[in-house]
Amino acid sequence: MTTPAHPLLIVGSIAFDDLDMPSGEHRDVLGGAATYSSLAASQLARGGVRVVGIVGTDFPEAHLEGLRTRGIDTAGVERAQGKTFRWHGRYSSDLASRTSLDTQLNVFADFSPKIPAAYRSSPFVLLGNIHPKLQLDVLDQVQKPRLVVADTMNFWISGEPTALAQMLARIDLLVINDEEARQLSGIHNLVRAAADIRKRGPSMLIVKRGEFGALLFDESGTFFVPAYPLEEVLDPTGAGDSFAGGLLGYLAARGEVTASTLRKALYFAASLGSFCVEGIGPSRLLSLTRSELGARIAAFARLVDHGGELSLPG
Amino acid sequence: MTTPAHPLLIVGSIAFDDLDMPSGEHRDVLGGAATYSSLAASQLARGGVRVVGIVGTDFPEAHLEGLRTRGIDTAGVERAQGKTFRWHGRYSSDLASRTSLDTQLNVFADFSPKIPAAYRSSPFVLLGNIHPKLQLDVLDQVQKPRLVVADTMNFWISGEPTALAQMLARIDLLVINDEEARQLSGIHNLVRAAADIRKRGPSMLIVKRGEFGALLFDESGTFFVPAYPLEEVLDPTGAGDSFAGGLLGYLAARGEVTASTLRKALYFAASLGSFCVEGIGPSRLLSLTRSELGARIAAFARLVDHGGELSLPG
């Protein structure tokens, strides 16, 4: 394998998920933001994905080996005494909402990301949804990345506003959902919420809206990517993380961040998100082939192809 | 004015709306599906829009004159003894939902659409949301239209399934929202709901999702158009009817219905819908200029321009 030119560093959770789905109950499912993001990214940035996370002694080496066979570097995954982070969630019958039944942080409670020396020059960095102080710790350890992307959540927005503000000032692109954008800005209208958030640091903002697609706000204006319409959705868990991983994977593969590559990257992000929800846990990402991804991207292009110029009729 | 080559016939309600908006209360606002649809369509199919509806003796002639100055033929608007249809609604603070406080059908209760002889050869027909039996009556009066488009609602889906099924068997394109598509088909997933509905008659189906855009299902596959992201939404009333009017207005102006014109038409539909919600009642549609519409279409094209070919990185 050739050395990838533009490695991607992903920091985030690795977990066991217990999933109560309308279709049945699933236990000990491989989960966590870093897992989904790295699997999605590895479809595009082959051999160039590096993961930093923490697992307990109960975490099967086979799971890490599964990541490695997809070209993901797991040397940054720390194994600590104790149990792996575990989340138990129940989804509504239409999968539109979910309830957290139990969250056991376990070894994740003391997670303090240590970026291996070999990772510190990674030009692309994805900071998964962890404490903003830890996100800042990561940024203190890396050397001038070309692109820093971060996720966050309502828990940190309300509970850690100071650390969050410091984090926002140091990143290039924030990827959050619509409710988080509204909470962070205090503004309901997403166009105005985006303008407010972009003043706080990130020059680029992506607002995810689940099955309703995503909006990008950057210096070139506003861009929209739909969600790919699926006949069957099995499990939304990890869709947002797969979206972020697909986004970064494409940008890392291309090695540049321009208005144009970013807009194309959003289609790869949405494609990886669409595959994620087709299987329980990360199963569909694990079985995904390059030709399947290529076919979906082509179908996606047809979905939005309005045939060229839109002009007023005479 | 030259005689338009492809006139558009619109049949539906004309009303007074009393609107309780977060921004204030508005009384006696010009409303009704036919009003919004014809105003939107007239931006594109200039001089070629014909309206059939009913108003009471309380309806100001100035409102009809306002439609006529926009090239809308109102000869098919019947004036009956009694009061005009009146609807009173209250919107939630985020405008995402509304409650009907009062509905007075008045002269609309006895509406029996009579299509003037001069209208019967209209090649494009939009059947607004009225009793499906009345929609069938209209179809019995027109001569082989090139395209018949219909709207309907939950009330008829649950209350008039037989007439609705007869209507569906005779139309080309059904335009409904996502909840109506789910109710009509009994299927939650929209892709599968669409396949079910298209088996019942209409070869084409558009599923509107409000601020989340719209999906088209036809023989060429699935197509998606987003909603145009706005900084300020004042009043969603009539947005769906403006969408349908813009769609038909574009198709009538082009004089053909192909997979390609239909996909472009959806952008005009969404644009007219976006203007509609920028004003209270139809005020923004009434002030809209052709150059403003052209500018929004151009901005819309930028919103979805992913820069050409989407291909897997090397």
Side-chain angles (χ1 to χ4, degrees):
Chain A
M1 190 178 289
T2 54
T3 303
H6 312 285
L8 164 61
L9 170 62
I10 296 175
V11 183
S13 59
I14 301 171
F16 287 127
D17 290 340
D18 293 325
L19 304 172
D20 294 3
M21 310 305 299
S23 56
E25 298 188 351
H26 306 270
R27 296 291 173 259
D28 301 326
V29 178
L30 175 61
T35 305
Y36 283 102
S37 292
S38 64
L39 282 171
S42 72
Q43 287 287 338
L44 297 159
R46 300 197 155 214
V49 181
R50 300 157 166 178
V51 179
V52 169
I54 191 166
V55 298
T57 46
D58 56 349
F59 195 79
E61 187 63 23
H63 280 334
L64 295 177
E65 183 58 28
L67 299 182
R68 286 192 290 270
T69 60
R70 283 157 186 84
I72 299 167
D73 184 338
T74 62
V77 177
E78 181 184 348
R79 190 180 285 274
Q81 280 299 319
K83 288 186 174 178
T84 301
F85 178 25
R86 181 176 289 270
W87 176 74
H88 184 184
R90 176 180 296 155
Y91 282 85
S92 62
S93 60
D94 64 359
L95 302 177
S97 62
R98 67 183 187 191
T99 309
S100 284
L101 300 178
D102 190 28
T103 302
Q104 298 173 19
L105 290 176
N106 298 328
V107 297
F108 194 63
D110 300 315
F111 182 44
S112 174
K114 287 172 275 297
I115 312 302
Y119 289 7
R120 291 185 187 158
S121 59
S122 301
F124 292 85
V125 176
L126 173 57
L127 303 172
N129 168 33
I130 53 178
H131 195 300
K133 281 187 183 169
L134 299 183
Q135 292 175 319
L136 286 165
D137 285 348
V138 173
L139 293 182
D140 288 340
Q141 295 175 65
V142 296
Q143 296 151 10
K144 290 189 185 175
R146 196 174 306 173
L147 180 75
V148 177
V149 180
D151 185 9
T152 192
M153 69 183 295
N154 50 2
F155 186 72
W156 310 122
I157 293 170
S158 59
E160 296 288 346
T162 307
L164 187 70
Q166 290 170 350
M167 184 274 281
L168 289 177
R170 290 179 62 183
I171 65 169
D172 303 297
L173 169 57
L174 181 68
V175 182
I176 51 180
N177 70 34
D178 45 3
E179 285 316 309
E180 290 157 354
R182 288 176 171 135
Q183 186 187 0
L184 178 56
S185 64
I187 299 171
H188 184 80
N189 179 279
L190 290 180
V191 178
R192 287 189 283 133
D196 175 89
I197 292 167
R198 290 180 59 223
K199 284 183 195 151
R200 303 175 187 217
S203 63
M204 300 169 275
L205 171 70
I206 291 173
V207 178
K208 297 176 291 182
R209 311 183 85 181
E211 62 166 326
F212 301 113
L215 284 161
L216 162 71
F217 301 89
D218 68 0
E219 286 174 13
S220 295
T222 306
F223 181 73
F224 177 84
V225 61
Y228 187 80
L230 294 168
E231 289 203 26
E232 186 145 59
V233 173
L234 277 184
D235 176 12
T237 310
D241 301 313
S242 302
F243 180 97
L247 184 90
L248 269 285
Y250 181 83
L251 292 172
R254 291 289 302 270
E256 59 172 23
V257 184
T258 65
S260 170
T261 55
L262 194 52
R263 280 155 175 75
K264 290 183 199 293
L266 275 161
Y267 275 85
F268 288 84
S271 292
L272 269 306
S274 76
F275 279 114
C276 174
V277 304
E278 287 187 311
I280 298 293
S283 59
R284 187 70 186 90
L285 293 180
L286 286 163
S287 71
L288 181 62
T289 67
R290 188 169 168 84
S291 68
E292 287 173 329
L293 177 57
R296 178 146 304 170
I297 284 290
F300 223 143
R302 288 192 297 275
L303 178 76
V304 296
D305 180 8
H306 55 71
E309 199 189 356
L310 290 171
S311 53
L312 285 168
Chain B
M1 190 178 291
T2 55
T3 304
H6 312 286
L8 164 61
L9 170 62
I10 296 175
V11 183
S13 60
I14 302 172
F16 287 126
D17 290 341
D18 294 324
L19 304 171
D20 295 3
M21 311 304 300
S23 56
E25 297 187 350
H26 305 271
R27 296 291 173 258
D28 301 327
V29 178
L30 175 63
T35 306
Y36 282 102
S37 292
S38 63
L39 282 171
S42 71
Q43 287 286 339
L44 297 159
R46 299 194 158 217
V49 181
R50 299 156 167 178
V51 179
V52 168
I54 190 166
V55 297
T57 47
D58 58 347
F59 195 78
E61 187 63 24
H63 280 335
L64 295 176
E65 182 57 27
L67 298 181
R68 285 192 290 270
T69 60
R70 283 159 186 84
I72 300 167
D73 185 338
T74 63
V77 177
E78 181 184 351
R79 190 180 284 275
Q81 281 298 319
K83 287 185 174 177
T84 302
F85 179 26
R86 181 176 288 271
W87 176 73
H88 185 183
R90 177 179 295 154
Y91 282 84
S92 62
S93 60
D94 64 359
L95 301 176
S97 63
R98 68 184 186 190
T99 309
S100 285
L101 300 178
D102 190 28
T103 302
Q104 299 174 18
L105 290 177
N106 297 329
V107 299
F108 194 64
D110 299 315
F111 181 44
S112 174
K114 285 172 276 295
I115 311 301
Y119 289 7
R120 290 183 189 159
S121 60
S122 301
F124 291 85
V125 175
L126 174 57
L127 303 172
N129 166 32
I130 54 178
H131 195 301
K133 283 187 181 166
L134 299 184
Q135 293 176 320
L136 286 165
D137 286 347
V138 172
L139 293 181
D140 287 338
Q141 296 175 64
V142 296
Q143 298 152 7
K144 292 190 184 173
R146 194 173 307 173
L147 180 75
V148 177
V149 180
D151 186 10
T152 192
M153 70 183 293
N154 51 3
F155 186 72
W156 310 122
I157 294 170
S158 59
E160 296 288 346
T162 307
L164 187 70
Q166 290 169 351
M167 183 275 281
L168 288 177
R170 290 179 63 183
I171 66 169
D172 303 297
L173 168 58
L174 181 68
V175 182
I176 52 180
N177 69 35
D178 44 4
E179 285 316 308
E180 290 157 354
R182 288 175 171 135
Q183 187 188 358
L184 177 57
S185 64
I187 298 170
H188 183 81
N189 179 281
L190 291 180
V191 177
R192 286 188 283 132
D196 175 88
I197 292 168
R198 290 181 58 223
K199 284 183 194 151
R200 303 175 185 217
S203 63
M204 300 170 273
L205 171 70
I206 291 173
V207 177
K208 297 176 291 180
R209 312 185 85 181
E211 63 165 326
F212 301 114
L215 284 161
L216 162 72
F217 301 89
D218 68 2
E219 287 174 11
S220 296
T222 305
F223 181 72
F224 177 83
V225 62
Y228 186 80
L230 294 167
E231 288 203 27
E232 186 146 59
V233 173
L234 278 183
D235 176 12
T237 310
D241 302 312
S242 302
F243 180 98
L247 184 90
L248 270 285
Y250 180 82
L251 292 172
R254 291 289 303 269
E256 59 172 25
V257 184
T258 65
S260 170
T261 55
L262 194 53
R263 280 154 176 75
K264 290 183 199 295
L266 275 161
Y267 275 86
F268 288 85
S271 291
L272 268 307
S274 76
F275 280 115
C276 174
V277 304
E278 287 187 310
I280 298 293
S283 59
R284 188 68 186 91
L285 292 180
L286 287 163
S287 72
L288 182 62
T289 67
R290 189 169 167 86
S291 69
E292 287 172 330
L293 177 56
R296 179 145 304 170
I297 284 290
F300 223 143
R302 287 193 297 276
L303 179 77
V304 297
D305 179 10
H306 55 68
E309 199 189 356
L310 290 171
S311 53
L312 285 168

